Amino acid sequence: MPKYYEDKEEDGRPCGGVREDLRQCLLESPCVLQENKSPKQCLREGYCKSLQVTFFACKRSMVSVYSVFSSAAGR
């Protein structure tokens, strides 16, 4: 089960739980801890790829929802 379900306050931002899990994954990765690279650099190198894909899919679904509302409002 994702960590964001365990005793955390509600983020309020879209995809906030997945964002937090991705952030934690990167901060706890060997890339950051042992190689002293930035989380952004580690993300580019492919660390936490599954969470990155999940976060992207979540954000993309939000864009799709917003575009539906925008299209309906313009009619």
Side-chain angles (χ1 to χ4, degrees):
M1 181 177 294
K3 293 180 184 178
Y4 64 89
Y5 286 115
E6 299 174 5
D7 302 324
K8 289 199 177 180
E9 292 181 24
E10 193 66 30
D11 187 343
R13 294 183 290 183
C15 310
V18 179
R19 177 192 320 251
E20 178 64 23
D21 282 354
L22 178 58
R23 182 179 151 288
Q24 276 304 117
C25 178
L26 288 168
L27 291 176
E28 295 171 1
S29 71
C31 181
V32 170
L33 295 176
Q34 296 169 359
E35 299 174 28
N36 296 322
K37 295 181 181 178
S38 72
K40 189 174 186 177
Q41 197 173 7
C42 295
L43 192 62
R44 286 188 188 133
E45 292 179 11
Y47 285 86
C48 307
K49 191 69 173 174
S50 62
L51 283 171
Q52 181 184 15
V53 169
T54 302
F55 182 64
F56 176 76
C58 181
K59 295 296 275 187
R60 188 167 135 199
S61 72
M62 295 305 296
V63 171
S64 298
V65 169
Y66 291 134
S67 66
V68 168
F69 287 125
S70 308
S71 299
R75 292 181 188 188

